[in-house]
Amino acid sequence: MATTSITIGAPSTFAPDLWSDHGLQTASTHGTVVTALAPQGTVRLVLADEALGTCAAVTARIDTVVTVRLDVPLGDAVGYWHPNAGSDRTLPADWSPWRHVSLVESAPAGCLYDTAGRALLAFATDRTVALTGVRFGVSEEHKRFGVWLRLPLTAGETYRIRLLPPGGTVAGTLRALRRWFAALPGGEPMPTPEFGRTPVYSTWYSFTQDVCAADVEREAALAAELGFGQLFLDDGWQRYGSGRGYSGCGDWRPDPDKFPDLRTHVETVHALGLRQVLWIAPLLLGERSDVFPWLSRFATHWSPTLECWILDPRHVEVRDHVLRTCLQLVDEFGLDGLKADFLDEAMVYAGTRGAQDSTLDGYLPDVGAALAAMLTDLRQGLRDRRGDEFVIELRQRYTGPAMTAFGNLLRANDCPADAVANRVRTLDIALLAPGGTVHSDMLMWDPQADADVVARQFHGALHAVPQISARLAELPDAHRDALAFWLSTWRALRPTLLSGHYEPGRPDQLYPQVIATGDDRCVITCFVDRIVPLCPDLRQVSLINATSAHQLFLDLDAPWTVHLSPHDAQGRAQAPLIRELTPGLNTVDVPPGGLCHLREAAELT
């Protein structure tokens, strides 16, 4: 892995010559033109057809900075998917800003697609750790869509780009790319223990930093009764953990008033049948911490938002501190895992020089390579202690395919009470992550609202492991009943929801209908009023009505006699019945926010 310190130096404004191909190396495959924008004779471009698409290899003859352009005709393009798309899911112009991807910032992959949700241009690269500059957009002059990848190469180094043929669905195309990512050297995903695939009770939205052992243990007992498998003790357990600032971070010792005996607290949670995971932000350094005097020289960036300094992981002293601190927490308190937060803050050091007074060898000039080294040591240290029975939670935006080698729980970025964002973010992660288990952001809702809000929040987390962060002891009975129903439903459908083959539709439409299939079961979640294609070859179908409509429209190509078992949003069973569904359109009554299980009627006789 190269750790060259050649800077990318991407321009901040559009340069017209980025569309030039005069005197440059150009090749094409499946309608995609690949161009190496580099001084003549500095690089060599070779395309080779392989079992999984085409490999474009760019090899440097001397140390240089190269820009590779991938471009296709616009055709019927409507959107461009990439791991950090967020809410920006339409077509940008080619003068949009450069951005960076690295180990902890998105991933080097993208997919341009048309109105039918079919891929027009899909690519991934093997530079998953070190920094790459990326730009993409529509050319007003050329009526083409381009992607530019800018990076330094040392003499003899080869950069590989995987290009897939057009025509597949976005989900199917990205699944193929994630298999390729997993096969890269060092890309093998961490295994996920069974408990990592069980519902999580989180303290964050329910308590924020105002947390203590007695309150958490009361919630843990209720969570165990509802079928949770994990408890995540979030921010606030540590010394000086109050006021939403991080001036005390660095020592990572329990607050003696909130958790006077953290080991006994963890044992209490274990006795209830829950695993316990602890939040830590190992790269944050506060001025009130005991370690600040000797670590501050490796934390030259001040974050006014977090009210603390950011440690630079390129220094071996920082990596050693993080490893020592994390392993001590696990050993001393008997933890089952760590929730590693704010790792992406390290990217403030990209392209800068590190501190000059490092006393030890081991400085790594590339931030991504430094974080990979740090996380490799942490993974091995935890494996030495727990085998594969431990979890490390990573948060979007650092849930890309390379990070699944270092973390096995991949959580959607914070989106309090935003079920739509939770749906989109969890599906975005799952589309490209070659391993690990996707977790939702924590579900929260207004405890004074109608109990149907519980269902609406849960719908956004259906295709991930749900994390819940509501004060269970204070929930109204109707809310608790609705939560119990959806947790029970999720557990029953989990094999299909987490491990089945799914198609969620177009990304720019925010994944309007998710169809997940596995074995002989199908789970279809409708987030908008849209006809549901149904195949009677499936013996069991669960229809989830995440809309405000009172019925769903089913389209069958053959007759089907089914037993219908509907429930409303709060889980209350409605009258079951047997229906003769005919070829073509059929309507089925499903309460708003509720669900209906369909089974072959003959199996019930």
Side-chain angles (χ1 to χ4, degrees):
M1 178 184 304
T3 58
T4 174
S5 60
I6 298 174
T7 59
I8 293 173
S12 59
T13 57
F14 179 70
D17 62 355
L18 289 180
W19 278 103
S20 171
D21 59 4
H22 179 69
L24 302 174
Q25 295 189 64
T26 298
S28 62
T29 177
H30 299 293
T32 298
V33 177
V34 184
T35 304
L37 298 152
Q40 192 71 30
T42 59
V43 300
R44 180 168 60 94
L45 170 65
V46 176
L47 266 60
D49 290 332
E50 298 179 356
L52 182 61
T54 300
C55 176
V58 179
T59 302
R61 292 190 168 99
I62 62 172
D63 291 0
T64 188
V65 175
V66 63
T67 299
V68 179
R69 186 183 72 229
L70 315 173
D71 62 274
V72 295
L74 271 176
D76 196 20
V78 293
Y80 178 72
W81 183 95
H82 61 97
N84 266 8
S87 58
D88 185 11
R89 293 176 174 263
T90 52
L91 297 177
D94 60 3
W95 38 261
S96 61
W98 284 89
R99 62 194 75 199
H100 290 153
V101 298
S102 73
L103 179 69
V104 292
E105 180 74 16
S106 188
C111 182
L112 179 74
Y113 56 91
D114 63 14
T115 55
R118 300 285 171 175
L120 299 173
L121 164 65
F123 78 94
T125 87
D126 65 352
R127 189 179 169 92
T128 58
V129 174
L131 197 70
T132 302
V134 180
R135 168 184 266 163
F136 42 80
V138 174
S139 167
E140 300 169 12
E141 295 85 358
H142 297 84
K143 313 306 184 279
R144 297 178 73 85
F145 186 90
V147 177
W148 291 264
L149 304 160
R150 185 173 175 85
L151 65 150
L153 291 176
T154 55
E157 184 181 3
T158 297
Y159 175 56
R160 293 177 175 82
I161 305 170
R162 178 66 50 173
L163 295 159
L164 294 191
T169 66
V170 174
T173 299
L174 293 174
R175 273 192 294 271
L177 289 176
R178 76 186 186 191
R179 289 194 297 271
W180 181 74
F181 274 125
L184 291 175
E188 181 180 359
M190 278 178 60
T192 304
E194 181 60 24
F195 76 81
R197 296 162 62 87
T198 60
V200 173
Y201 180 82
S202 167
T203 64
W204 180 240
Y205 292 141
S206 50
F207 292 96
T208 59
Q209 290 182 317
D210 187 17
V211 66
C212 68
D215 288 344
V216 174
E217 289 163 16
R218 181 175 65 252
E219 293 292 294
L222 296 172
E225 292 175 3
L226 286 168
F228 287 80
Q230 305 173 79
L231 185 144
F232 282 18
L233 179 55
D234 213 294
D235 184 7
W237 65 269
Q238 73 280 13
R239 274 199 316 159
Y240 310 119
S242 60
R244 296 295 287 269
Y246 297 99
S247 63
C249 288
D251 299 325
W252 301 108
R253 304 305 301 162
D255 184 311
D257 294 325
K258 297 177 180 180
F259 292 91
D261 188 342
L262 185 55
R263 176 84 188 199
T264 297
H265 164 73
V266 173
E267 291 172 350
T268 300
V269 171
H270 283 166
L272 294 168
L274 302 177
R275 301 296 188 102
Q276 179 139 0
V277 174
L278 193 67
W279 175 88
I280 184 173
L283 295 179
L284 303 190
L285 181 66
E287 296 177 351
R288 301 169 71 186
S289 66
D290 293 341
V291 297
F292 182 79
W294 72 272
L295 277 178
S296 58
R297 65 186 184 276
F298 306 120
T300 57
H301 177 81
W302 167 260
S303 170
T305 303
L306 300 174
E307 297 180 358
C308 68
W309 299 84
I310 308 300
L311 285 165
D312 184 347
R314 294 177 296 179
H315 297 281
V316 68
E317 293 91 339
V318 171
R319 301 195 299 273
D320 287 348
H321 165 73
V322 169
L323 177 65
R324 182 170 56 252
T325 300
C326 290
L327 295 183
Q328 181 181 351
L329 286 172
V330 171
D331 289 341
E332 185 175 354
F333 303 119
L335 301 169
D336 300 294
L338 297 171
K339 174 178 180 173
D341 212 352
F342 294 116
L343 297 183
D344 46 346
E345 293 294 328
M347 291 309 297
V348 297
Y349 295 112
T352 68
R353 294 179 64 85
Q356 299 303 305
D357 56 353
S358 177
T359 58
L360 300 175
D361 292 333
Y363 178 80
L364 298 173
D366 184 84
V367 175
L371 285 167
M374 183 185 83
L375 294 170
T376 297
D377 290 344
L378 177 58
R379 177 188 61 195
Q380 188 57 50
L382 291 173
R383 183 166 286 161
D384 291 343
R385 288 156 172 78
R386 294 286 190 273
D388 288 329
E389 285 294 306
F390 70 92
V391 295
I392 299 177
E393 187 201 83
L394 307 173
R395 171 181 51 79
Q396 217 172 21
R397 301 170 296 186
Y398 49 93
T399 52
M403 285 295 272
T404 62
F406 308 116
N408 46 16
L409 306 185
L410 313 173
R411 181 175 66 84
N413 205 0
D414 297 31
C415 50
D418 191 336
V420 175
N422 226 348
R423 168 176 95 234
V424 172
R425 293 174 184 182
T426 51
L427 289 169
D428 276 348
I429 296 172
L431 284 174
L432 198 60
T437 298
V438 180
H439 279 220
S440 74
D441 185 40
M442 293 76 73
L443 307 189
M444 60 165 283
W445 57 85
D446 181 357
Q448 305 303 317
D450 187 276
D452 288 4
V453 302
V454 179
R456 282 193 284 275
Q457 290 299 318
F458 216 103
H459 294 157
L462 274 171
H463 295 271
V465 173
Q467 294 198 21
I468 311 298
S469 194
R471 296 206 183 193
L472 303 178
E474 300 175 7
L475 284 182
D477 289 344
H479 284 218
R480 188 178 296 113
D481 290 345
L483 179 59
F485 169 76
W486 284 103
L487 283 167
S488 175
T489 298
W490 182 88
R491 288 194 299 271
L493 301 178
R494 184 182 74 167
T496 305
L497 293 172
L498 295 190
S499 303
H501 175 97
Y502 67 89
E503 287 289 342
R506 276 172 39 182
D508 61 306
Q509 294 178 344
L510 306 182
Y511 305 126
Q513 184 182 91
V514 185
I515 302 175
T517 55
D519 296 329
D520 61 351
R521 179 184 284 279
C522 178
V523 180
I524 302 175
T525 309
C526 299
F527 295 99
V528 299
D529 295 331
R530 177 170 292 191
I531 294 172
V532 179
L534 207 58
C535 176
D537 292 343
L538 294 163
R539 297 167 62 186
Q540 300 181 74
V541 176
S542 295
L543 299 174
I544 298 173
N545 182 14
T547 77
S548 58
H550 290 263
Q551 59 185 7
L552 296 177
F553 290 87
L554 312 183
D555 184 15
L556 281 75
D557 56 10
W560 194 21
T561 303
V562 295
H563 179 271
L564 305 176
S565 178
H567 294 76
D568 70 8
Q570 298 181 37
R572 295 172 297 206
Q574 311 294 291
L577 70 157
I578 293 178
R579 281 274 306 276
E580 296 279 351
L581 301 180
T582 60
L585 288 181
N586 298 258
T587 59
V588 171
D589 292 335
V590 183
L595 64 82
C596 184
H597 298 296
L598 285 67
R599 293 190 63 183
E600 176 71 50
E603 294 183 3
L604 304 177
T605 60

